Amino acid sequence: MTYSLSGLQASQQYDIEVYPEGLQTNQCAHGLLNLRTLCGTTGMPLLEDFDDLPTGVMPSCWTRSVNFDDTAMLPRVIEIGYGNNALTLSCGGNNTAGHYGMVISPTISTDVTEWDVRFIHRASHNNVYVTLGVCDSISPEHEYYGFTPISSFYSSNNSQWSNFHWRGSIPAGAAKLALRMDQSMQGGTTRMVYLDSLSVTTCGIETARVYHTDSTSTIVEWSTYGSPQVDVCVRR
């Protein structure tokens, strides 16, 4: 016999018991079945500050792809002080040519083709090179999850976090955000980058201003990037 359960939430842990009708007792229960549903599509916006998450592991529905064995350098959530967490990115600790490390977000969307990406970052050393890219939802790990670069930046060991902002069109079929480090770009030094306050949204409002106002009406003017749908909210 089988029974189909519907209406479950994505990426959630569930406990299931099977027992004869009318005999909900420990003696009659078959036992506790444990399952976790698969990750679904997050949708826009994707907002993640990595706080209130278990440390030492990847966030739920995030993926890491590496080709090194140094467990101390694996991408993971770490505590950075004062109760705040960040996501680390590294390409290993033994300076081996060809080594890489990559962190990949949950599936965001395959329908939205214009993204606005923002996060803050800092690094263990100066001039750490990181590639920003996107992945599809079908390529296997040995094909780097279909990684396509869209931008890059340098991160440094500053006392203050640096801001990163990219917006533009993404390739057709892209569904996930990814950040990658390659050992060949690091000058033979073991390095790590810390990422926080990440957001991925649809490209939207660039500027807005009050264009004209009289006693009973006003005109608001704005410029947009991409073709977003716009809601106007009025409060007093």
mmCIF file of all heavy atoms in Angstrom, residues 190-231:
data_model
loop_
_atom_site.group_PDB
_atom_site.id
_atom_site.type_symbol
_atom_site.label_atom_id
_atom_site.label_comp_id
_atom_site.label_asym_id
_atom_site.label_seq_id
_atom_site.Cartn_x
_atom_site.Cartn_y
_atom_site.Cartn_z
ATOM 1 N N THR A 190 47.575 30.678 0.192
ATOM 2 C CA THR A 190 46.318 30.188 0.752
ATOM 3 C C THR A 190 45.464 31.376 1.175
ATOM 4 O O THR A 190 45.879 32.163 2.020
ATOM 5 C CB THR A 190 46.579 29.282 1.961
ATOM 6 O OG1 THR A 190 47.359 28.166 1.550
ATOM 7 C CG2 THR A 190 45.278 28.801 2.565
ATOM 8 N N ARG A 191 44.277 31.495 0.599
ATOM 9 C CA ARG A 191 43.455 32.667 0.854
ATOM 10 C C ARG A 191 42.001 32.268 1.053
ATOM 11 O O ARG A 191 41.561 31.220 0.600
ATOM 12 C CB ARG A 191 43.577 33.662 -0.312
ATOM 13 C CG ARG A 191 45.005 34.138 -0.522
ATOM 14 C CD ARG A 191 45.116 35.082 -1.684
ATOM 15 N NE ARG A 191 46.486 35.574 -1.820
ATOM 16 C CZ ARG A 191 46.859 36.515 -2.671
ATOM 17 N NH1 ARG A 191 45.966 37.061 -3.479
ATOM 18 N NH2 ARG A 191 48.111 36.916 -2.733
ATOM 19 N N MET A 192 41.276 33.164 1.724
ATOM 20 C CA MET A 192 39.862 32.921 1.993
ATOM 21 C C MET A 192 39.113 34.244 1.893
ATOM 22 O O MET A 192 39.621 35.291 2.288
ATOM 23 C CB MET A 192 39.680 32.308 3.378
ATOM 24 C CG MET A 192 38.241 31.931 3.717
ATOM 25 S SD MET A 192 38.123 31.035 5.292
ATOM 26 C CE MET A 192 38.782 29.427 4.811
ATOM 27 N N VAL A 193 37.897 34.185 1.367
ATOM 28 C CA VAL A 193 37.026 35.352 1.253
ATOM 29 C C VAL A 193 35.792 35.120 2.120
ATOM 30 O O VAL A 193 35.293 33.995 2.227
ATOM 31 C CB VAL A 193 36.619 35.598 -0.214
ATOM 32 C CG1 VAL A 193 35.531 36.649 -0.319
ATOM 33 C CG2 VAL A 193 37.830 36.026 -1.027
ATOM 34 N N TYR A 194 35.298 36.192 2.724
ATOM 35 C CA TYR A 194 34.108 36.143 3.565
ATOM 36 C C TYR A 194 33.008 36.973 2.899
ATOM 37 O O TYR A 194 33.247 38.121 2.490
ATOM 38 C CB TYR A 194 34.417 36.690 4.960
ATOM 39 C CG TYR A 194 35.673 36.089 5.556
ATOM 40 C CD1 TYR A 194 36.896 36.750 5.457
ATOM 41 C CD2 TYR A 194 35.637 34.854 6.191
ATOM 42 C CE1 TYR A 194 38.056 36.189 5.981
ATOM 43 C CE2 TYR A 194 36.793 34.290 6.722
ATOM 44 C CZ TYR A 194 38.002 34.965 6.603
ATOM 45 O OH TYR A 194 39.144 34.404 7.122
ATOM 46 N N LEU A 195 31.817 36.403 2.791
ATOM 47 C CA LEU A 195 30.693 37.031 2.105
ATOM 48 C C LEU A 195 29.534 37.216 3.074
ATOM 49 O O LEU A 195 29.256 36.343 3.893
ATOM 50 C CB LEU A 195 30.235 36.163 0.932
ATOM 51 C CG LEU A 195 31.324 35.732 -0.054
ATOM 52 C CD1 LEU A 195 30.821 34.597 -0.932
ATOM 53 C CD2 LEU A 195 31.770 36.912 -0.911
ATOM 54 N N ASP A 196 28.841 38.343 2.963
ATOM 55 C CA ASP A 196 27.720 38.605 3.868
ATOM 56 C C ASP A 196 26.733 39.556 3.189
ATOM 57 O O ASP A 196 27.038 40.175 2.172
ATOM 58 C CB ASP A 196 28.233 39.214 5.176
ATOM 59 C CG ASP A 196 27.258 39.014 6.330
ATOM 60 O OD1 ASP A 196 26.203 38.394 6.126
ATOM 61 O OD2 ASP A 196 27.561 39.491 7.439
ATOM 62 N N SER A 197 25.538 39.651 3.798
ATOM 63 C CA SER A 197 24.486 40.582 3.367
ATOM 64 C C SER A 197 24.235 40.495 1.867
ATOM 65 O O SER A 197 24.297 41.487 1.145
ATOM 66 C CB SER A 197 24.856 42.018 3.763
ATOM 67 O OG SER A 197 25.040 42.118 5.151
ATOM 68 N N LEU A 198 23.942 39.291 1.411
ATOM 69 C CA LEU A 198 23.762 39.049 -0.012
ATOM 70 C C LEU A 198 22.306 39.226 -0.417
ATOM 71 O O LEU A 198 21.394 38.801 0.291
ATOM 72 C CB LEU A 198 24.226 37.637 -0.358
ATOM 73 C CG LEU A 198 24.157 37.217 -1.829
ATOM 74 C CD1 LEU A 198 25.355 36.343 -2.181
ATOM 75 C CD2 LEU A 198 22.858 36.449 -2.118
ATOM 76 N N SER A 199 22.108 39.868 -1.570
ATOM 77 C CA SER A 199 20.761 39.993 -2.118
ATOM 78 C C SER A 199 20.804 39.813 -3.625
ATOM 79 O O SER A 199 21.732 40.275 -4.294
ATOM 80 C CB SER A 199 20.135 41.352 -1.764
ATOM 81 O OG SER A 199 20.771 42.405 -2.483
ATOM 82 N N VAL A 200 19.817 39.113 -4.138
ATOM 83 C CA VAL A 200 19.615 38.996 -5.580
ATOM 84 C C VAL A 200 18.172 39.384 -5.853
ATOM 85 O O VAL A 200 17.244 38.733 -5.368
ATOM 86 C CB VAL A 200 19.878 37.566 -6.093
ATOM 87 C CG1 VAL A 200 19.700 37.503 -7.609
ATOM 88 C CG2 VAL A 200 21.276 37.102 -5.705
ATOM 89 N N THR A 201 17.981 40.460 -6.595
ATOM 90 C CA THR A 201 16.646 40.955 -6.889
ATOM 91 C C THR A 201 16.517 41.181 -8.390
ATOM 92 O O THR A 201 17.494 41.124 -9.134
ATOM 93 C CB THR A 201 16.372 42.282 -6.158
ATOM 94 O OG1 THR A 201 17.297 43.278 -6.619
ATOM 95 C CG2 THR A 201 16.533 42.119 -4.655
ATOM 96 N N THR A 202 15.300 41.444 -8.819
ATOM 97 C CA THR A 202 15.113 41.862 -10.201
ATOM 98 C C THR A 202 15.620 43.285 -10.342
ATOM 99 O O THR A 202 15.538 44.090 -9.413
ATOM 100 C CB THR A 202 13.623 41.827 -10.586
ATOM 101 O OG1 THR A 202 12.890 42.648 -9.673
ATOM 102 C CG2 THR A 202 13.093 40.413 -10.543
ATOM 103 N N CYS A 203 16.186 43.593 -11.486
ATOM 104 C CA CYS A 203 16.635 44.962 -11.721
ATOM 105 C C CYS A 203 15.424 45.884 -11.665
ATOM 106 O O CYS A 203 14.384 45.587 -12.247
ATOM 107 C CB CYS A 203 17.319 45.069 -13.077
ATOM 108 S SG CYS A 203 18.845 44.111 -13.155
ATOM 109 N N GLY A 204 15.563 46.971 -10.961
ATOM 110 C CA GLY A 204 14.376 47.785 -10.698
ATOM 111 C C GLY A 204 14.632 49.267 -10.707
ATOM 112 O O GLY A 204 15.212 49.808 -11.639
ATOM 113 N N ILE A 205 14.217 49.922 -9.623
ATOM 114 C CA ILE A 205 14.244 51.369 -9.578
ATOM 115 C C ILE A 205 15.674 51.878 -9.393
ATOM 116 O O ILE A 205 16.380 51.468 -8.470
ATOM 117 C CB ILE A 205 13.360 51.887 -8.430
ATOM 118 C CG1 ILE A 205 11.944 51.317 -8.542
ATOM 119 C CG2 ILE A 205 13.322 53.405 -8.419
ATOM 120 C CD1 ILE A 205 11.235 51.682 -9.816
ATOM 121 N N GLU A 206 16.106 52.779 -10.281
ATOM 122 C CA GLU A 206 17.415 53.418 -10.129
ATOM 123 C C GLU A 206 17.293 54.701 -9.315
ATOM 124 O O GLU A 206 17.989 54.894 -8.328
ATOM 125 C CB GLU A 206 18.009 53.731 -11.502
ATOM 126 C CG GLU A 206 18.653 52.551 -12.200
ATOM 127 C CD GLU A 206 19.442 52.998 -13.424
ATOM 128 O OE1 GLU A 206 18.893 53.782 -14.213
ATOM 129 O OE2 GLU A 206 20.594 52.580 -13.566
ATOM 130 N N THR A 207 16.429 55.603 -9.752
ATOM 131 C CA THR A 207 16.235 56.875 -9.057
ATOM 132 C C THR A 207 14.750 57.190 -9.010
ATOM 133 O O THR A 207 13.969 56.756 -9.852
ATOM 134 C CB THR A 207 16.982 58.021 -9.769
ATOM 135 O OG1 THR A 207 16.455 58.160 -11.100
ATOM 136 C CG2 THR A 207 18.474 57.746 -9.835
ATOM 137 N N ALA A 208 14.357 57.963 -8.020
ATOM 138 C CA ALA A 208 12.967 58.417 -7.914
ATOM 139 C C ALA A 208 12.970 59.816 -7.313
ATOM 140 O O ALA A 208 13.799 60.134 -6.459
ATOM 141 C CB ALA A 208 12.148 57.460 -7.056
ATOM 142 N N ARG A 209 12.035 60.641 -7.764
ATOM 143 C CA ARG A 209 11.951 62.001 -7.236
ATOM 144 C C ARG A 209 10.520 62.512 -7.402
ATOM 145 O O ARG A 209 9.749 62.016 -8.233
ATOM 146 C CB ARG A 209 12.923 62.937 -7.945
ATOM 147 C CG ARG A 209 12.570 63.247 -9.385
ATOM 148 C CD ARG A 209 13.655 64.060 -10.064
ATOM 149 N NE ARG A 209 13.317 64.404 -11.438
ATOM 150 C CZ ARG A 209 12.829 65.575 -11.827
ATOM 151 N NH1 ARG A 209 12.610 66.528 -10.926
ATOM 152 N NH2 ARG A 209 12.551 65.810 -13.092
ATOM 153 N N VAL A 210 10.172 63.505 -6.589
ATOM 154 C CA VAL A 210 8.895 64.196 -6.740
ATOM 155 C C VAL A 210 9.067 65.225 -7.848
ATOM 156 O O VAL A 210 9.874 66.156 -7.744
ATOM 157 C CB VAL A 210 8.466 64.856 -5.430
ATOM 158 C CG1 VAL A 210 7.199 65.674 -5.636
ATOM 159 C CG2 VAL A 210 8.248 63.802 -4.349
ATOM 160 N N TYR A 211 8.300 65.053 -8.911
ATOM 161 C CA TYR A 211 8.439 65.914 -10.080
ATOM 162 C C TYR A 211 7.608 67.190 -9.968
ATOM 163 O O TYR A 211 8.013 68.265 -10.380
ATOM 164 C CB TYR A 211 8.042 65.125 -11.327
ATOM 165 C CG TYR A 211 8.128 65.893 -12.617
ATOM 166 C CD1 TYR A 211 9.357 66.200 -13.191
ATOM 167 C CD2 TYR A 211 6.967 66.314 -13.260
ATOM 168 C CE1 TYR A 211 9.438 66.908 -14.376
ATOM 169 C CE2 TYR A 211 7.034 67.021 -14.453
ATOM 170 C CZ TYR A 211 8.269 67.321 -15.002
ATOM 171 O OH TYR A 211 8.350 68.018 -16.169
ATOM 172 N N HIS A 212 6.411 67.063 -9.380
ATOM 173 C CA HIS A 212 5.522 68.223 -9.264
ATOM 174 C C HIS A 212 4.520 67.966 -8.149
ATOM 175 O O HIS A 212 4.036 66.847 -7.980
ATOM 176 C CB HIS A 212 4.785 68.471 -10.587
ATOM 177 C CG HIS A 212 3.726 69.521 -10.472
ATOM 178 N ND1 HIS A 212 4.013 70.867 -10.414
ATOM 179 C CD2 HIS A 212 2.363 69.422 -10.394
ATOM 180 C CE1 HIS A 212 2.881 71.556 -10.307
ATOM 181 N NE2 HIS A 212 1.873 70.705 -10.303
ATOM 182 N N THR A 213 4.183 69.002 -7.388
ATOM 183 C CA THR A 213 3.191 68.889 -6.330
ATOM 184 C C THR A 213 2.336 70.151 -6.290
ATOM 185 O O THR A 213 2.873 71.265 -6.377
ATOM 186 C CB THR A 213 3.854 68.691 -4.955
ATOM 187 O OG1 THR A 213 4.637 67.501 -4.977
ATOM 188 C CG2 THR A 213 2.806 68.584 -3.852
ATOM 189 N N ASP A 214 1.016 69.984 -6.172
ATOM 190 C CA ASP A 214 0.138 71.117 -5.878
ATOM 191 C C ASP A 214 -0.672 70.776 -4.632
ATOM 192 O O ASP A 214 -0.287 69.888 -3.866
ATOM 193 C CB ASP A 214 -0.739 71.477 -7.082
ATOM 194 C CG ASP A 214 -1.625 70.324 -7.540
ATOM 195 O OD1 ASP A 214 -1.976 69.479 -6.693
ATOM 196 O OD2 ASP A 214 -1.962 70.270 -8.738
ATOM 197 N N SER A 215 -1.799 71.418 -4.420
ATOM 198 C CA SER A 215 -2.528 71.258 -3.157
ATOM 199 C C SER A 215 -3.215 69.906 -3.026
ATOM 200 O O SER A 215 -3.476 69.447 -1.901
ATOM 201 C CB SER A 215 -3.581 72.374 -3.016
ATOM 202 O OG SER A 215 -4.516 72.313 -4.102
ATOM 203 N N THR A 216 -3.514 69.246 -4.135
ATOM 204 C CA THR A 216 -4.267 67.991 -4.052
ATOM 205 C C THR A 216 -3.643 66.843 -4.833
ATOM 206 O O THR A 216 -4.212 65.746 -4.878
ATOM 207 C CB THR A 216 -5.701 68.194 -4.575
ATOM 208 O OG1 THR A 216 -5.650 68.636 -5.946
ATOM 209 C CG2 THR A 216 -6.456 69.210 -3.720
ATOM 210 N N SER A 217 -2.515 67.062 -5.457
ATOM 211 C CA SER A 217 -1.927 65.990 -6.274
ATOM 212 C C SER A 217 -0.415 66.149 -6.361
ATOM 213 O O SER A 217 0.151 67.191 -5.994
ATOM 214 C CB SER A 217 -2.526 65.993 -7.692
ATOM 215 O OG SER A 217 -2.179 67.198 -8.363
ATOM 216 N N THR A 218 0.220 65.112 -6.807
ATOM 217 C CA THR A 218 1.671 65.148 -7.007
ATOM 218 C C THR A 218 2.037 64.227 -8.159
ATOM 219 O O THR A 218 1.281 63.312 -8.506
ATOM 220 C CB THR A 218 2.425 64.722 -5.728
ATOM 221 O OG1 THR A 218 3.825 64.925 -5.920
ATOM 222 C CG2 THR A 218 2.195 63.239 -5.422
ATOM 223 N N ILE A 219 3.166 64.479 -8.756
ATOM 224 C CA ILE A 219 3.695 63.628 -9.819
ATOM 225 C C ILE A 219 5.051 63.092 -9.361
ATOM 226 O O ILE A 219 5.940 63.857 -8.975
ATOM 227 C CB ILE A 219 3.859 64.400 -11.142
ATOM 228 C CG1 ILE A 219 2.498 64.912 -11.622
ATOM 229 C CG2 ILE A 219 4.488 63.494 -12.209
ATOM 230 C CD1 ILE A 219 2.605 65.789 -12.860
ATOM 231 N N VAL A 220 5.188 61.777 -9.365
ATOM 232 C CA VAL A 220 6.439 61.127 -8.997
ATOM 233 C C VAL A 220 7.094 60.589 -10.265
ATOM 234 O O VAL A 220 6.432 59.942 -11.087
ATOM 235 C CB VAL A 220 6.207 59.985 -7.988
ATOM 236 C CG1 VAL A 220 7.523 59.294 -7.645
ATOM 237 C CG2 VAL A 220 5.534 60.520 -6.732
ATOM 238 N N GLU A 221 8.362 60.847 -10.402
ATOM 239 C CA GLU A 221 9.095 60.409 -11.589
ATOM 240 C C GLU A 221 10.205 59.456 -11.160
ATOM 241 O O GLU A 221 10.854 59.671 -10.131
ATOM 242 C CB GLU A 221 9.705 61.625 -12.296
ATOM 243 C CG GLU A 221 10.502 61.298 -13.543
ATOM 244 C CD GLU A 221 11.139 62.545 -14.137
ATOM 245 O OE1 GLU A 221 12.003 63.147 -13.459
ATOM 246 O OE2 GLU A 221 10.781 62.917 -15.253
ATOM 247 N N TRP A 222 10.419 58.386 -11.922
ATOM 248 C CA TRP A 222 11.494 57.459 -11.606
ATOM 249 C C TRP A 222 12.094 56.906 -12.880
ATOM 250 O O TRP A 222 11.484 56.954 -13.953
ATOM 251 C CB TRP A 222 11.007 56.307 -10.713
ATOM 252 C CG TRP A 222 9.931 55.449 -11.332
ATOM 253 C CD1 TRP A 222 10.094 54.424 -12.211
ATOM 254 C CD2 TRP A 222 8.531 55.564 -11.117
ATOM 255 N NE1 TRP A 222 8.897 53.863 -12.560
ATOM 256 C CE2 TRP A 222 7.903 54.557 -11.899
ATOM 257 C CE3 TRP A 222 7.737 56.406 -10.340
ATOM 258 C CZ2 TRP A 222 6.526 54.387 -11.920
ATOM 259 C CZ3 TRP A 222 6.367 56.226 -10.359
ATOM 260 C CH2 TRP A 222 5.781 55.220 -11.141
ATOM 261 N N SER A 223 13.293 56.390 -12.756
ATOM 262 C CA SER A 223 13.933 55.691 -13.871
ATOM 263 C C SER A 223 14.174 54.253 -13.444
ATOM 264 O O SER A 223 14.377 53.961 -12.263
ATOM 265 C CB SER A 223 15.260 56.358 -14.245
ATOM 266 O OG SER A 223 16.163 56.331 -13.162
ATOM 267 N N THR A 224 14.126 53.338 -14.398
ATOM 268 C CA THR A 224 14.253 51.925 -14.095
ATOM 269 C C THR A 224 15.367 51.305 -14.923
ATOM 270 O O THR A 224 15.770 51.832 -15.957
ATOM 271 C CB THR A 224 12.949 51.170 -14.387
ATOM 272 O OG1 THR A 224 12.660 51.263 -15.789
ATOM 273 C CG2 THR A 224 11.799 51.749 -13.585
ATOM 274 N N TYR A 225 15.854 50.179 -14.402
ATOM 275 C CA TYR A 225 16.800 49.358 -15.150
ATOM 276 C C TYR A 225 16.123 48.039 -15.443
ATOM 277 O O TYR A 225 15.606 47.385 -14.559
ATOM 278 C CB TYR A 225 18.082 49.129 -14.341
ATOM 279 C CG TYR A 225 19.126 48.338 -15.074
ATOM 280 C CD1 TYR A 225 19.984 48.960 -15.975
ATOM 281 C CD2 TYR A 225 19.242 46.975 -14.893
ATOM 282 C CE1 TYR A 225 20.934 48.233 -16.654
ATOM 283 C CE2 TYR A 225 20.182 46.244 -15.578
ATOM 284 C CZ TYR A 225 21.034 46.879 -16.457
ATOM 285 O OH TYR A 225 21.975 46.163 -17.148
ATOM 286 N N GLY A 226 16.112 47.650 -16.701
ATOM 287 C CA GLY A 226 15.336 46.481 -17.079
ATOM 288 C C GLY A 226 13.889 46.872 -17.297
ATOM 289 O O GLY A 226 13.578 48.027 -17.611
ATOM 290 N N SER A 227 12.991 45.941 -17.107
ATOM 291 C CA SER A 227 11.565 46.198 -17.332
ATOM 292 C C SER A 227 10.752 45.711 -16.139
ATOM 293 O O SER A 227 9.940 44.780 -16.246
ATOM 294 C CB SER A 227 11.109 45.491 -18.619
ATOM 295 O OG SER A 227 11.869 45.927 -19.728
ATOM 296 N N PRO A 228 10.978 46.311 -14.965
ATOM 297 C CA PRO A 228 10.269 45.809 -13.779
ATOM 298 C C PRO A 228 8.833 46.303 -13.731
ATOM 299 O O PRO A 228 8.498 47.360 -14.269
ATOM 300 C CB PRO A 228 11.085 46.424 -12.628
ATOM 301 C CG PRO A 228 11.566 47.723 -13.201
ATOM 302 C CD PRO A 228 11.856 47.435 -14.664
ATOM 303 N N GLN A 229 7.963 45.523 -13.085
ATOM 304 C CA GLN A 229 6.656 46.008 -12.719
ATOM 305 C C GLN A 229 6.804 46.861 -11.470
ATOM 306 O O GLN A 229 7.575 46.540 -10.561
ATOM 307 C CB GLN A 229 5.696 44.855 -12.462
ATOM 308 C CG GLN A 229 5.375 44.036 -13.710
ATOM 309 C CD GLN A 229 4.388 42.927 -13.430
ATOM 310 O OE1 GLN A 229 4.255 42.501 -12.282
ATOM 311 N NE2 GLN A 229 3.715 42.470 -14.461
ATOM 312 N N VAL A 230 6.072 47.965 -11.402
ATOM 313 C CA VAL A 230 6.274 48.935 -10.341
ATOM 314 C C VAL A 230 4.977 49.121 -9.561
ATOM 315 O O VAL A 230 3.901 49.273 -10.156
ATOM 316 C CB VAL A 230 6.750 50.282 -10.927
ATOM 317 C CG1 VAL A 230 6.832 51.345 -9.820
ATOM 318 C CG2 VAL A 230 8.092 50.121 -11.601
ATOM 319 N N ASP A 231 5.050 49.100 -8.240
ATOM 320 C CA ASP A 231 3.956 49.458 -7.362
ATOM 321 C C ASP A 231 4.276 50.809 -6.721
ATOM 322 O O ASP A 231 5.429 51.050 -6.332
ATOM 323 C CB ASP A 231 3.737 48.430 -6.260
ATOM 324 C CG ASP A 231 3.234 47.095 -6.809
ATOM 325 O OD1 ASP A 231 2.489 47.135 -7.800
ATOM 326 O OD2 ASP A 231 3.591 46.055 -6.242
#
